[in-house]
Amino acid sequence: MGDLIIAFSNWIWGTPLLILLMGGGFFMLLYSRLIPFRGLRHAMKVVGGKYDDPNASGDITSLQALSSAIAATVGLGNISGVALAIGTGGPGAIFWMWVSAFVGMATKFFTCTLAIMYRGKDSSGHIQGGPMYVIEEGMGKKWRFLSVIFCVAGIMGLLAIFQANQLTEVLRVVLLRPFGLDWGQTSRWIIGVTVMLLVALVILGGIQRIAKVASRLVPFMVSMYFVCVFIILFKNLGEIPSMLVYIIEDAFTGKAVLGGAVGQVIIIGARRAAFSNEAGIGTAPMVHGASKTSEPVREGLIAMLGPFIDTIVVCTLTALVILVTGVWKSGERDGVLLTLSAFEQGLPGVGKYLLMAAVLIFALSTMFTYSYYGHKCFNYLFGADKADYYNYFYLITIVGGAVTSLSVVMSFVDGMYAVMAFPTMISALYLSPKVIAATKDYFERMKILDEK
């Protein structure tokens, strides 16, 4: 079964999906006249709360939506996903992650703008957002099969199995093994059940509690992680320029790991970027669709900050730590253990404990938000009255992720992400003229507002 999952993941992440994600995102980047660069300053003002409307429809503020989305994206994808990219694709994979991030900013702008433009209502009459509602409300009922495909893949792919797996590994390596307390599979079960109970305390309180906890955890976890990374990089300052050059060189040669297979380096970079910042996958539109706003374009501008923070900033810092410490040459393929080696070498004695704390917070915050995504997919398919059953399924699979091998877990998540990307990108490209028209109208109105 595990071999079948890995084979499916490798097959679906082939050329067609790469063209859809990278090519579609590049089209949106040009079609919007480079909106990630033109709209960045205005997006920062919006995040600061300058334009918040407490009376607008929705459940959470735009800042809480961004915090929740970043809680899901700035997480183990940055610690473990980056290490996996380097371990399997070499340093050159990081360059293609950068390319994917800038393209992903445009993708996030379009998909999250549409999430507000085409909000729908669930069976209880509550306003909802996300690709499934964009497809049904924006493209029409005849396209509903795409919504169903998205939601089925979302229910399966937006489980916290990867986070549970990597958190379990770190706790075993850092806390249990040095003291002779690691009992193998038994330890995995104990950690899995404990994490499941911790996550249950938050997610059973709904999106308001998830957003509240995420908006407090995210700034703290990012700050702590940054401090550790900057200390390591400062100690290896002289190595940074040569490593940045090496990343670019290897991106076009692929010699470091794959013996010159540049195409594979690009695919690995795109896969890890999609896993890390989720642009084009359709997750962020679900949480941004719950924002209290009546301005779709404004929400799109906020959402596009996610890939920038996630991949350009956080992923790059993690990659540099792995490269300047030299641990990437060890041949270690388990993502979080490779980053753990880098922290232990960069900050001897305390590095592994600091990373363990970061992994714990990263993993838990991501688990909180992912439950909301899957809950919305379940709600769409089976109705609001049955949606809460999904939470119990979600919690049980946390234990499953803790006791399963990394390669199977990673391939399963990758495969489901790929399936989700097709409906998300098809709807975004189909409705892109609507986004462009709304963008022109919005900036014309904001110009008049600023002049007043």
Side-chain angles (χ1 to χ4, degrees):
M1 187 67 181
D3 290 341
L4 196 66
I5 290 169
I6 293 168
F8 171 75
S9 178
N10 290 334
W11 169 76
I12 200 166
W13 271 99
T15 305
L17 185 62
L18 198 64
I19 291 170
L20 186 66
L21 273 179
M22 296 284 277
F26 190 65
F27 165 77
M28 293 177 197
L29 184 67
L30 296 179
Y31 192 26
S32 64
R33 294 190 299 121
L34 307 179
I35 191 71
F37 305 101
R38 289 192 302 119
L40 196 60
R41 190 178 167 194
H42 183 71
M44 297 301 291
K45 286 182 184 176
V46 174
V47 167
K50 184 177 178 181
Y51 302 100
D52 278 359
D53 178 8
N55 298 316
S57 57
D59 296 325
I60 53 178
T61 67
S62 293
L63 179 59
Q64 285 178 323
L66 182 65
S67 295
S68 298
I70 290 175
T73 57
V74 178
L76 286 183
N78 305 88
I79 293 177
S80 195
V82 173
L84 274 170
I86 295 172
T88 54
I94 302 304
F95 176 83
W96 297 109
M97 286 183 76
W98 292 341
V99 173
S100 296
F102 280 112
V103 166
M105 287 176 74
T107 305
K108 276 254 175 104
F109 171 74
F110 275 77
T111 55
C112 293
T113 297
L114 288 167
I116 299 294
M117 285 177 76
Y118 296 105
R119 287 200 266 206
K121 289 185 178 179
D122 61 21
S123 59
S124 68
H126 192 77
I127 291 174
Q128 300 281 5
M132 54 284 217
Y133 295 99
V134 170
I135 292 164
E136 189 169 326
E137 302 293 326
M139 297 173 70
K141 300 280 186 186
K142 64 182 178 183
W143 294 93
R144 191 174 182 272
F145 71 94
L146 288 176
S147 298
V148 174
I149 291 170
F150 175 85
C151 288
V152 170
I155 287 168
M156 303 306 294
L158 295 170
L159 300 170
I161 51 177
F162 173 76
Q163 288 72 25
N165 180 284
Q166 295 288 271
L167 178 57
T168 301
E169 277 306 299
V170 169
L171 292 173
R172 286 177 67 207
V173 170
V174 177
L175 280 187
L176 303 183
R177 211 165 282 168
F179 302 102
L181 297 173
D182 184 15
W183 305 308
Q185 204 69 353
T186 304
S187 297
R188 285 174 172 267
W189 278 96
I190 292 168
I191 293 168
V193 171
T194 305
V195 171
M196 178 190 75
L197 295 173
L198 279 172
V199 174
L201 289 173
V202 175
I203 71 168
L204 298 180
I207 183 58
Q208 281 86 1
R209 188 183 294 176
I210 293 168
K212 194 175 179 182
V213 173
S215 60
R216 288 176 181 174
L217 273 181
V218 170
F220 170 72
M221 76 178 179
V222 171
S223 301
M224 187 185 75
Y225 187 68
F226 273 19
V227 169
C228 296
V229 166
F230 283 132
I231 292 170
I232 297 171
L233 293 180
F234 185 74
K235 287 170 70 177
N236 298 273
L237 211 53
E239 295 287 318
I240 295 174
S242 60
M243 285 302 158
L244 288 170
V245 170
Y246 191 45
I247 287 171
I248 296 167
E249 282 179 357
D250 191 55
F252 297 96
T253 60
K255 288 178 182 175
V257 173
L258 296 166
V262 178
Q264 278 301 108
V265 177
I266 296 171
I267 288 171
I268 289 167
R271 275 175 80 162
R272 297 283 64 83
F275 176 71
S276 180
N277 64 45
E278 296 170 20
I281 304 301
T283 50
M286 286 192 273
V287 73
H288 282 283
S291 292
K292 287 181 178 176
T293 182
S294 54
E295 291 284 3
V297 172
R298 190 175 291 160
E299 197 63 31
L301 289 167
I302 293 170
M304 77 180 187
L305 295 173
F308 183 83
I309 295 167
D310 174 87
T311 308
I312 302 298
V313 180
V314 187
C315 283
T316 301
L317 292 172
T318 304
L320 286 172
V321 165
I322 292 167
L323 294 173
V324 299
T325 54
V327 298
W328 68 279
K329 297 173 184 175
S330 67
E332 174 63 66
R333 292 295 182 96
D334 191 312
V336 76
L337 297 185
L338 185 59
T339 313
L340 195 65
S341 299
F343 268 66
E344 179 62 5
Q345 189 158 316
L347 297 168
V350 296
K352 62 182 180 181
Y353 297 108
L354 291 171
L355 185 70
M356 183 195 70
V359 167
L360 181 64
I361 298 168
F362 273 121
L364 288 175
S365 63
T366 304
M367 287 175 179
F368 300 152
T369 313
Y370 268 27
S371 69
Y372 175 65
Y373 293 154
H375 188 275
K376 289 194 81 160
C377 291
F378 202 89
N379 182 343
Y380 180 85
L381 289 178
F382 302 108
D385 57 326
K386 298 181 183 68
D388 286 344
Y389 291 123
Y390 171 81
N391 286 335
Y392 302 105
F393 167 69
Y394 179 86
L395 289 167
I396 290 166
T397 60
I398 288 174
V399 183
V403 300
T404 309
S405 77
L406 173 64
S407 57
V408 173
V409 165
M410 195 72 253
S411 295
F412 182 77
V413 173
D414 273 350
M416 291 301 102
Y417 267 34
V419 175
M420 291 166 67
F422 281 100
T424 303
M425 290 300 291
I426 289 167
S427 61
L429 290 166
Y430 184 91
L431 296 167
S432 58
K434 303 281 188 184
V435 176
I436 295 301
T439 303
K440 287 177 182 174
D441 173 66
Y442 174 78
F443 278 108
E444 281 171 10
R445 286 188 288 110
M446 284 304 104
K447 193 175 179 182
I448 294 167
L449 188 67
D450 289 339
E451 285 171 358
K452 288 180 182 179

Short mmCIF file of all heavy atoms in Angstrom, two decimals, residues 58-118:
data_model
loop_
_atom_site.label_atom_id
_atom_site.label_comp_id
_atom_site.label_asym_id
_atom_site.label_seq_id
_atom_site.Cartn_x
_atom_site.Cartn_y
_atom_site.Cartn_z
N GLY A 58 -18.76 37.90 7.97
CA GLY A 58 -17.61 37.02 8.14
C GLY A 58 -17.42 36.66 9.60
O GLY A 58 -18.16 37.13 10.47
N ASP A 59 -16.43 35.81 9.88
CA ASP A 59 -16.22 35.32 11.25
C ASP A 59 -15.01 35.92 11.94
O ASP A 59 -15.00 36.06 13.16
CB ASP A 59 -16.04 33.79 11.23
CG ASP A 59 -17.30 33.07 10.76
OD1 ASP A 59 -18.40 33.57 11.08
OD2 ASP A 59 -17.18 32.04 10.08
N ILE A 60 -13.96 36.26 11.17
CA ILE A 60 -12.70 36.70 11.78
C ILE A 60 -12.14 37.91 11.04
O ILE A 60 -12.55 38.20 9.91
CB ILE A 60 -11.65 35.56 11.77
CG1 ILE A 60 -11.49 35.00 10.35
CG2 ILE A 60 -12.02 34.45 12.74
CD1 ILE A 60 -10.44 33.90 10.21
N THR A 61 -11.20 38.64 11.67
CA THR A 61 -10.59 39.80 11.01
C THR A 61 -9.59 39.33 9.96
O THR A 61 -9.14 38.18 9.97
CB THR A 61 -9.84 40.69 12.03
OG1 THR A 61 -8.71 39.95 12.53
CG2 THR A 61 -10.73 41.10 13.18
N SER A 62 -9.18 40.27 9.08
CA SER A 62 -8.22 39.92 8.03
C SER A 62 -6.88 39.52 8.64
O SER A 62 -6.20 38.61 8.14
CB SER A 62 -8.02 41.11 7.09
OG SER A 62 -9.21 41.35 6.38
N LEU A 63 -6.47 40.18 9.73
CA LEU A 63 -5.21 39.83 10.39
C LEU A 63 -5.28 38.42 10.97
O LEU A 63 -4.33 37.65 10.88
CB LEU A 63 -4.87 40.85 11.48
CG LEU A 63 -3.57 40.58 12.26
CD1 LEU A 63 -2.37 40.55 11.33
CD2 LEU A 63 -3.36 41.63 13.35
N GLN A 64 -6.42 38.09 11.57
CA GLN A 64 -6.58 36.74 12.12
C GLN A 64 -6.58 35.70 10.99
O GLN A 64 -6.05 34.61 11.15
CB GLN A 64 -7.88 36.64 12.92
CG GLN A 64 -7.81 37.32 14.28
CD GLN A 64 -9.13 37.23 15.03
OE1 GLN A 64 -10.20 37.31 14.44
NE2 GLN A 64 -9.05 37.06 16.34
N ALA A 65 -7.18 36.07 9.85
CA ALA A 65 -7.18 35.16 8.70
C ALA A 65 -5.76 34.91 8.21
O ALA A 65 -5.37 33.77 7.94
CB ALA A 65 -8.03 35.73 7.56
N LEU A 66 -4.97 36.00 8.11
CA LEU A 66 -3.58 35.86 7.68
C LEU A 66 -2.79 35.04 8.70
O LEU A 66 -2.01 34.17 8.34
CB LEU A 66 -2.93 37.23 7.49
CG LEU A 66 -1.47 37.21 6.99
CD1 LEU A 66 -1.38 36.63 5.59
CD2 LEU A 66 -0.87 38.61 7.02
N SER A 67 -3.02 35.30 9.99
CA SER A 67 -2.31 34.57 11.05
C SER A 67 -2.65 33.09 11.00
O SER A 67 -1.78 32.22 11.14
CB SER A 67 -2.67 35.12 12.43
OG SER A 67 -2.22 36.43 12.58
N SER A 68 -3.95 32.79 10.78
CA SER A 68 -4.37 31.38 10.70
C SER A 68 -3.77 30.71 9.48
O SER A 68 -3.33 29.56 9.55
CB SER A 68 -5.90 31.29 10.65
OG SER A 68 -6.46 31.82 11.83
N ALA A 69 -3.77 31.44 8.34
CA ALA A 69 -3.20 30.87 7.11
C ALA A 69 -1.70 30.66 7.27
O ALA A 69 -1.16 29.63 6.85
CB ALA A 69 -3.49 31.79 5.92
N ILE A 70 -1.01 31.63 7.89
CA ILE A 70 0.43 31.49 8.11
C ILE A 70 0.71 30.40 9.14
O ILE A 70 1.72 29.69 9.03
CB ILE A 70 1.06 32.84 8.53
CG1 ILE A 70 1.04 33.80 7.34
CG2 ILE A 70 2.49 32.66 9.02
CD1 ILE A 70 1.53 35.19 7.64
N ALA A 71 -0.18 30.24 10.11
CA ALA A 71 -0.01 29.15 11.09
C ALA A 71 0.01 27.81 10.39
O ALA A 71 0.70 26.88 10.81
CB ALA A 71 -1.14 29.19 12.12
N ALA A 72 -0.76 27.71 9.30
CA ALA A 72 -0.80 26.46 8.55
C ALA A 72 0.39 26.35 7.59
O ALA A 72 0.88 25.25 7.34
CB ALA A 72 -2.10 26.36 7.77
N THR A 73 0.85 27.49 7.04
CA THR A 73 1.91 27.43 6.03
C THR A 73 3.30 27.59 6.63
O THR A 73 4.23 26.87 6.27
CB THR A 73 1.68 28.50 4.94
OG1 THR A 73 1.60 29.79 5.55
CG2 THR A 73 0.41 28.23 4.19
N VAL A 74 3.48 28.58 7.55
CA VAL A 74 4.78 28.72 8.22
C VAL A 74 4.81 27.68 9.33
O VAL A 74 4.33 27.91 10.42
CB VAL A 74 4.98 30.14 8.80
CG1 VAL A 74 6.31 30.22 9.53
CG2 VAL A 74 4.94 31.17 7.70
N GLY A 75 5.31 26.54 9.01
CA GLY A 75 5.30 25.45 9.97
C GLY A 75 6.38 24.45 9.64
O GLY A 75 7.49 24.82 9.26
N LEU A 76 6.04 23.18 9.72
CA LEU A 76 7.03 22.14 9.48
C LEU A 76 7.47 22.08 8.02
O LEU A 76 8.50 21.51 7.71
CB LEU A 76 6.51 20.79 9.94
CG LEU A 76 6.49 20.62 11.45
CD1 LEU A 76 6.02 19.23 11.83
CD2 LEU A 76 7.85 20.88 12.06
N GLY A 77 6.69 22.70 7.12
CA GLY A 77 7.13 22.81 5.74
C GLY A 77 8.41 23.61 5.64
O GLY A 77 9.24 23.39 4.77
N ASN A 78 8.57 24.57 6.57
CA ASN A 78 9.77 25.41 6.57
C ASN A 78 10.96 24.74 7.26
O ASN A 78 12.10 25.03 6.94
CB ASN A 78 9.48 26.73 7.29
CG ASN A 78 8.29 27.44 6.70
OD1 ASN A 78 7.16 27.21 7.10
ND2 ASN A 78 8.53 28.29 5.73
N ILE A 79 10.68 23.93 8.25
CA ILE A 79 11.75 23.26 8.98
C ILE A 79 12.11 21.94 8.30
O ILE A 79 13.26 21.66 8.01
CB ILE A 79 11.33 23.00 10.44
CG1 ILE A 79 11.18 24.33 11.18
CG2 ILE A 79 12.34 22.11 11.15
CD1 ILE A 79 10.69 24.19 12.61
N SER A 80 11.09 21.14 8.05
CA SER A 80 11.30 19.80 7.52
C SER A 80 11.22 19.76 5.99
O SER A 80 12.01 19.08 5.34
CB SER A 80 10.23 18.87 8.11
OG SER A 80 10.56 17.55 7.91
N GLY A 81 10.28 20.53 5.43
CA GLY A 81 10.09 20.53 3.98
C GLY A 81 11.31 21.05 3.23
O GLY A 81 11.69 20.51 2.19
N VAL A 82 11.92 22.11 3.75
CA VAL A 82 13.12 22.67 3.13
C VAL A 82 14.26 21.66 3.18
O VAL A 82 15.00 21.48 2.22
CB VAL A 82 13.55 23.98 3.85
CG1 VAL A 82 14.88 24.47 3.34
CG2 VAL A 82 12.50 25.05 3.64
N ALA A 83 14.41 21.01 4.34
CA ALA A 83 15.46 19.99 4.48
C ALA A 83 15.22 18.83 3.51
O ALA A 83 16.17 18.30 2.91
CB ALA A 83 15.49 19.49 5.92
N LEU A 84 13.95 18.44 3.34
CA LEU A 84 13.61 17.38 2.38
C LEU A 84 13.98 17.81 0.95
O LEU A 84 14.48 17.01 0.17
CB LEU A 84 12.11 17.07 2.44
CG LEU A 84 11.64 16.06 3.49
CD1 LEU A 84 10.13 16.07 3.56
CD2 LEU A 84 12.14 14.66 3.16
N ALA A 85 13.72 19.09 0.64
CA ALA A 85 14.05 19.62 -0.70
C ALA A 85 15.54 19.53 -0.96
O ALA A 85 15.98 19.08 -2.03
CB ALA A 85 13.57 21.07 -0.82
N ILE A 86 16.35 19.93 0.02
CA ILE A 86 17.81 19.90 -0.14
C ILE A 86 18.31 18.45 -0.16
O ILE A 86 19.16 18.08 -0.95
CB ILE A 86 18.50 20.70 0.99
CG1 ILE A 86 18.13 22.19 0.87
CG2 ILE A 86 20.01 20.52 0.95
CD1 ILE A 86 18.59 23.04 2.03
N GLY A 87 17.73 17.62 0.73
CA GLY A 87 18.15 16.22 0.82
C GLY A 87 17.87 15.43 -0.44
O GLY A 87 18.65 14.55 -0.83
N THR A 88 16.75 15.73 -1.10
CA THR A 88 16.37 14.96 -2.29
C THR A 88 16.70 15.66 -3.61
O THR A 88 16.93 14.99 -4.62
CB THR A 88 14.85 14.65 -2.28
OG1 THR A 88 14.12 15.89 -2.14
CG2 THR A 88 14.48 13.73 -1.13
N GLY A 89 16.74 16.99 -3.61
CA GLY A 89 16.96 17.73 -4.86
C GLY A 89 18.21 18.58 -4.88
O GLY A 89 18.51 19.23 -5.89
N GLY A 90 18.94 18.62 -3.74
CA GLY A 90 20.14 19.45 -3.68
C GLY A 90 19.81 20.91 -3.42
O GLY A 90 18.64 21.32 -3.44
N PRO A 91 20.83 21.74 -3.18
CA PRO A 91 20.61 23.17 -2.90
C PRO A 91 19.85 23.89 -4.01
O PRO A 91 19.15 24.87 -3.75
CB PRO A 91 22.04 23.71 -2.78
CG PRO A 91 22.86 22.54 -2.36
CD PRO A 91 22.26 21.36 -3.07
N GLY A 92 19.98 23.43 -5.26
CA GLY A 92 19.31 24.09 -6.38
C GLY A 92 17.79 24.09 -6.26
O GLY A 92 17.12 24.97 -6.83
N ALA A 93 17.23 23.13 -5.52
CA ALA A 93 15.78 23.08 -5.33
C ALA A 93 15.27 24.34 -4.64
O ALA A 93 14.12 24.74 -4.84
CB ALA A 93 15.39 21.84 -4.52
N ILE A 94 16.12 24.96 -3.81
CA ILE A 94 15.71 26.18 -3.10
C ILE A 94 15.43 27.31 -4.08
O ILE A 94 14.50 28.09 -3.90
CB ILE A 94 16.80 26.61 -2.08
CG1 ILE A 94 17.06 25.48 -1.08
CG2 ILE A 94 16.40 27.90 -1.35
CD1 ILE A 94 15.84 24.99 -0.32
N PHE A 95 16.25 27.43 -5.15
CA PHE A 95 16.02 28.47 -6.16
C PHE A 95 14.63 28.33 -6.77
O PHE A 95 13.91 29.32 -6.94
CB PHE A 95 17.08 28.39 -7.25
CG PHE A 95 16.87 29.37 -8.38
CD1 PHE A 95 17.30 30.68 -8.28
CD2 PHE A 95 16.20 28.98 -9.54
CE1 PHE A 95 17.08 31.59 -9.31
CE2 PHE A 95 15.98 29.87 -10.59
CZ PHE A 95 16.43 31.19 -10.47
N TRP A 96 14.26 27.09 -7.07
CA TRP A 96 12.94 26.86 -7.69
C TRP A 96 11.81 27.06 -6.68
O TRP A 96 10.69 27.35 -7.06
CB TRP A 96 12.90 25.50 -8.36
CG TRP A 96 13.90 25.45 -9.49
CD1 TRP A 96 15.07 24.74 -9.52
CD2 TRP A 96 13.86 26.21 -10.71
NE1 TRP A 96 15.75 25.00 -10.69
CE2 TRP A 96 15.03 25.90 -11.44
CE3 TRP A 96 12.94 27.11 -11.25
CZ2 TRP A 96 15.31 26.45 -12.68
CZ3 TRP A 96 13.21 27.67 -12.48
CH2 TRP A 96 14.38 27.35 -13.19
N MET A 97 12.13 26.92 -5.40
CA MET A 97 11.15 27.29 -4.36
C MET A 97 10.93 28.80 -4.37
O MET A 97 9.80 29.28 -4.20
CB MET A 97 11.63 26.83 -2.98
CG MET A 97 11.51 25.33 -2.75
SD MET A 97 11.99 24.80 -1.08
CE MET A 97 10.55 25.32 -0.13
N TRP A 98 12.01 29.57 -4.58
CA TRP A 98 11.88 31.04 -4.65
C TRP A 98 11.00 31.44 -5.84
O TRP A 98 10.10 32.28 -5.70
CB TRP A 98 13.26 31.69 -4.83
CG TRP A 98 14.18 31.58 -3.67
CD1 TRP A 98 13.85 31.31 -2.37
CD2 TRP A 98 15.61 31.73 -3.70
NE1 TRP A 98 14.98 31.27 -1.59
CE2 TRP A 98 16.07 31.54 -2.37
CE3 TRP A 98 16.54 32.01 -4.70
CZ2 TRP A 98 17.42 31.62 -2.04
CZ3 TRP A 98 17.88 32.10 -4.37
CH2 TRP A 98 18.32 31.89 -3.06
N VAL A 99 11.28 30.85 -6.99
CA VAL A 99 10.49 31.15 -8.19
C VAL A 99 9.02 30.83 -7.93
O VAL A 99 8.11 31.62 -8.25
CB VAL A 99 11.01 30.36 -9.42
CG1 VAL A 99 10.09 30.55 -10.62
CG2 VAL A 99 12.44 30.80 -9.75
N SER A 100 8.79 29.65 -7.35
CA SER A 100 7.41 29.24 -7.04
C SER A 100 6.73 30.20 -6.08
O SER A 100 5.52 30.41 -6.16
CB SER A 100 7.41 27.83 -6.43
OG SER A 100 7.88 26.89 -7.34
N ALA A 101 7.51 30.80 -5.16
CA ALA A 101 6.93 31.70 -4.17
C ALA A 101 6.42 32.99 -4.81
O ALA A 101 5.31 33.45 -4.52
CB ALA A 101 7.95 32.03 -3.09
N PHE A 102 7.22 33.60 -5.69
CA PHE A 102 6.77 34.84 -6.34
C PHE A 102 5.58 34.58 -7.25
O PHE A 102 4.64 35.37 -7.31
CB PHE A 102 7.93 35.48 -7.13
CG PHE A 102 8.87 36.26 -6.25
CD1 PHE A 102 10.16 35.84 -6.04
CD2 PHE A 102 8.44 37.42 -5.61
CE1 PHE A 102 11.02 36.55 -5.21
CE2 PHE A 102 9.28 38.15 -4.80
CZ PHE A 102 10.59 37.72 -4.59
N VAL A 103 5.62 33.45 -7.95
CA VAL A 103 4.48 33.04 -8.76
C VAL A 103 3.28 32.76 -7.84
O VAL A 103 2.14 33.15 -8.13
CB VAL A 103 4.85 31.79 -9.58
CG1 VAL A 103 3.62 31.12 -10.17
CG2 VAL A 103 5.82 32.16 -10.69
N GLY A 104 3.56 32.13 -6.69
CA GLY A 104 2.51 31.80 -5.72
C GLY A 104 1.84 33.01 -5.10
O GLY A 104 0.67 32.94 -4.72
N MET A 105 2.56 34.13 -5.00
CA MET A 105 1.95 35.36 -4.48
C MET A 105 0.81 35.81 -5.39
O MET A 105 -0.26 36.21 -4.92
CB MET A 105 3.00 36.46 -4.34
CG MET A 105 3.96 36.26 -3.18
SD MET A 105 5.26 37.51 -3.10
CE MET A 105 4.32 38.92 -2.47
N ALA A 106 1.05 35.73 -6.70
CA ALA A 106 -0.01 36.09 -7.66
C ALA A 106 -1.16 35.11 -7.58
O ALA A 106 -2.34 35.50 -7.59
CB ALA A 106 0.57 36.12 -9.08
N THR A 107 -0.84 33.82 -7.46
CA THR A 107 -1.87 32.78 -7.35
C THR A 107 -2.75 33.01 -6.12
O THR A 107 -3.97 32.94 -6.19
CB THR A 107 -1.23 31.39 -7.27
OG1 THR A 107 -0.37 31.20 -8.39
CG2 THR A 107 -2.28 30.30 -7.26
N LYS A 108 -2.09 33.29 -4.98
CA LYS A 108 -2.84 33.53 -3.73
C LYS A 108 -3.74 34.76 -3.86
O LYS A 108 -4.86 34.79 -3.35
CB LYS A 108 -1.88 33.73 -2.55
CG LYS A 108 -1.40 32.43 -1.93
CD LYS A 108 -2.07 32.16 -0.59
CE LYS A 108 -1.65 30.80 -0.07
NZ LYS A 108 -0.68 30.82 1.00
N PHE A 109 -3.23 35.79 -4.55
CA PHE A 109 -4.04 37.00 -4.74
C PHE A 109 -5.33 36.67 -5.48
O PHE A 109 -6.42 37.06 -5.06
CB PHE A 109 -3.24 38.06 -5.52
CG PHE A 109 -4.07 39.24 -5.94
CD1 PHE A 109 -4.48 40.19 -5.02
CD2 PHE A 109 -4.47 39.38 -7.27
CE1 PHE A 109 -5.27 41.26 -5.41
CE2 PHE A 109 -5.26 40.45 -7.67
CZ PHE A 109 -5.66 41.39 -6.73
N PHE A 110 -5.22 35.93 -6.57
CA PHE A 110 -6.40 35.58 -7.37
C PHE A 110 -7.35 34.66 -6.60
O PHE A 110 -8.56 34.92 -6.54
CB PHE A 110 -5.97 34.91 -8.69
CG PHE A 110 -5.62 35.88 -9.78
CD1 PHE A 110 -4.40 36.54 -9.78
CD2 PHE A 110 -6.51 36.15 -10.81
CE1 PHE A 110 -4.07 37.44 -10.78
CE2 PHE A 110 -6.20 37.05 -11.82
CZ PHE A 110 -4.96 37.70 -11.80
N THR A 111 -6.81 33.58 -6.02
CA THR A 111 -7.68 32.60 -5.37
C THR A 111 -8.38 33.16 -4.13
O THR A 111 -9.54 32.83 -3.87
CB THR A 111 -6.89 31.33 -4.99
OG1 THR A 111 -5.77 31.68 -4.18
CG2 THR A 111 -6.40 30.59 -6.23
N CYS A 112 -7.69 34.01 -3.37
CA CYS A 112 -8.30 34.56 -2.14
C CYS A 112 -9.23 35.73 -2.43
O CYS A 112 -10.17 35.98 -1.68
CB CYS A 112 -7.22 34.93 -1.12
SG CYS A 112 -6.35 33.47 -0.50
N THR A 113 -8.97 36.46 -3.52
CA THR A 113 -9.92 37.50 -3.95
C THR A 113 -11.23 36.82 -4.36
O THR A 113 -12.32 37.26 -3.97
CB THR A 113 -9.35 38.30 -5.15
OG1 THR A 113 -8.16 38.98 -4.73
CG2 THR A 113 -10.36 39.32 -5.66
N LEU A 114 -11.11 35.74 -5.11
CA LEU A 114 -12.30 34.99 -5.54
C LEU A 114 -13.06 34.38 -4.36
O LEU A 114 -14.29 34.27 -4.40
CB LEU A 114 -11.90 33.88 -6.52
CG LEU A 114 -11.46 34.35 -7.91
CD1 LEU A 114 -10.79 33.21 -8.68
CD2 LEU A 114 -12.65 34.90 -8.71
N ALA A 115 -12.33 34.02 -3.29
CA ALA A 115 -12.97 33.42 -2.12
C ALA A 115 -13.94 34.38 -1.44
O ALA A 115 -14.93 33.95 -0.83
CB ALA A 115 -11.90 32.98 -1.11
N ILE A 116 -13.69 35.69 -1.56
CA ILE A 116 -14.61 36.70 -1.01
C ILE A 116 -15.67 37.06 -2.06
O ILE A 116 -16.85 37.25 -1.73
CB ILE A 116 -13.85 37.97 -0.56
CG1 ILE A 116 -12.85 37.63 0.54
CG2 ILE A 116 -14.82 39.04 -0.09
CD1 ILE A 116 -13.45 37.17 1.85
N MET A 117 -15.28 37.13 -3.33
CA MET A 117 -16.22 37.49 -4.40
C MET A 117 -17.36 36.47 -4.52
O MET A 117 -18.50 36.83 -4.78
CB MET A 117 -15.49 37.57 -5.75
CG MET A 117 -14.62 38.79 -5.92
SD MET A 117 -13.72 38.77 -7.49
CE MET A 117 -15.00 39.19 -8.65
N TYR A 118 -16.99 35.21 -4.34
CA TYR A 118 -17.98 34.14 -4.54
C TYR A 118 -18.14 33.29 -3.28
O TYR A 118 -17.87 32.10 -3.28
CB TYR A 118 -17.58 33.27 -5.73
CG TYR A 118 -17.59 34.02 -7.04
CD1 TYR A 118 -16.39 34.40 -7.65
CD2 TYR A 118 -18.78 34.36 -7.65
CE1 TYR A 118 -16.39 35.10 -8.85
CE2 TYR A 118 -18.80 35.06 -8.85
CZ TYR A 118 -17.60 35.43 -9.45
OH TYR A 118 -17.61 36.13 -10.64
#
